[in-house]
Amino acid sequence: MKKEQIEEQVENQEQELQEQVEETQTPTTEELEARIAELEDKNLRMMAEFDNYRRRTNKEKLDLMATAGEGIFKEMLPLIDDFERATEAMNKTDDIEAVREGIRLIQQKFISFLDKQGVHAIETEGVDFNTDEHEAVTTFAAGEEQKGKVIDCTQRGYKLGDKVIRFAKVVVGE
């Protein structure tokens, strides 16, 4: 390399260093104050935005809680209509079998409604006693083969999804 090339490289490096030094110099008071004002403004806007978000979500939660059961109750109204028709039919007819059949149909319709809502009866017939789903009302001497098994159900239990919402009241063999 020639001396001129080396001097040119040194000169370029010096110029680059000078530019870097100029870039890293401390900002002026006005620049700092402007930056602080900008950050304070951003912070204030962010806090206001968060406050609006919090208010909006709280309002949505309150609205949801106020109308949460509305859909379920709307779906139950036809069942009430069916019960009213059954009551009228009981008063007007002497055909007890027709009334029984009407009540069975309403019961099936109601069970179907509960299934759509995710509510299912807890199995009790001939299963092992399970404290997570069953509540023992009493025990009954039933022999070795029935020991620890559910013998009778006095009140059906129900689950909403996987959560027990009412324990089944059962008689357990001992």
Side-chain angles (χ1 to χ4, degrees):
M1 266 195 195
K2 295 182 181 177
K3 183 179 176 182
E4 295 168 353
Q5 287 177 335
I6 293 173
E7 287 176 358
E8 187 177 323
Q9 281 182 345
V10 168
E11 191 175 305
N12 285 341
Q13 287 176 350
E14 286 177 358
Q15 190 175 13
E16 285 177 20
L17 282 173
Q18 183 64 30
E19 288 174 3
Q20 287 177 357
V21 167
E22 288 174 4
E23 288 176 7
T24 60
Q25 286 181 349
T26 57
T28 64
T29 305
E30 293 84 24
E31 291 172 336
L32 288 175
E33 287 175 356
R35 180 70 176 145
I36 290 170
E38 178 186 339
L39 291 174
E40 284 176 344
D41 183 56
K42 279 184 180 180
N43 185 37
L44 186 62
R45 289 177 189 274
M46 185 96 66
M47 287 173 50
E49 193 173 315
F50 179 74
D51 195 40
N52 289 338
Y53 166 78
R54 186 179 48 79
R55 277 195 216 122
R56 186 174 54 250
T57 55
N58 283 342
K59 183 183 181 307
E60 288 171 359
K61 283 179 189 176
L62 289 174
D63 290 345
L64 184 62
M65 287 172 33
T67 60
E70 181 180 346
I72 291 173
F73 292 127
K74 278 184 178 179
E75 289 187 40
M76 287 178 72
L77 293 177
L79 292 168
I80 293 170
D81 297 337
D82 290 344
F83 278 118
E84 288 173 353
R85 283 191 287 273
T87 303
E88 285 178 25
M90 283 189 296
N91 293 333
K92 292 180 181 178
T93 187
D94 292 332
D95 186 7
I96 206 85
E97 279 306 311
V99 172
R100 283 185 184 147
E101 183 60 29
I103 297 296
R104 275 191 222 110
L105 288 173
I106 294 171
Q107 180 186 22
Q108 289 172 352
K109 190 174 186 180
F110 189 69
I111 290 170
S112 172
F113 162 76
L114 290 175
D115 282 341
K116 281 195 323 187
Q117 302 305 319
V119 176
H120 304 285
I122 295 173
E123 188 63 39
T124 58
E125 201 170 311
V127 299
D128 290 335
F129 177 72
N130 179 356
T131 57
D132 293 335
E133 296 178 341
H134 307 122
E135 179 181 331
V137 176
T138 187
T139 57
F140 184 77
E144 270 312 301
E145 68 275 350
Q146 293 291 324
K147 187 174 185 176
K149 295 214 180 269
V150 174
I151 295 176
D152 189 26
C153 179
T154 61
Q155 185 180 52
R156 291 195 66 100
Y158 293 92
K159 284 182 167 184
L160 177 59
D162 289 335
K163 182 183 180 210
V164 175
I165 56 176
R166 185 173 84 179
F167 290 91
K169 293 185 179 184
V170 296
V171 176
V172 180
E174 63 176 354

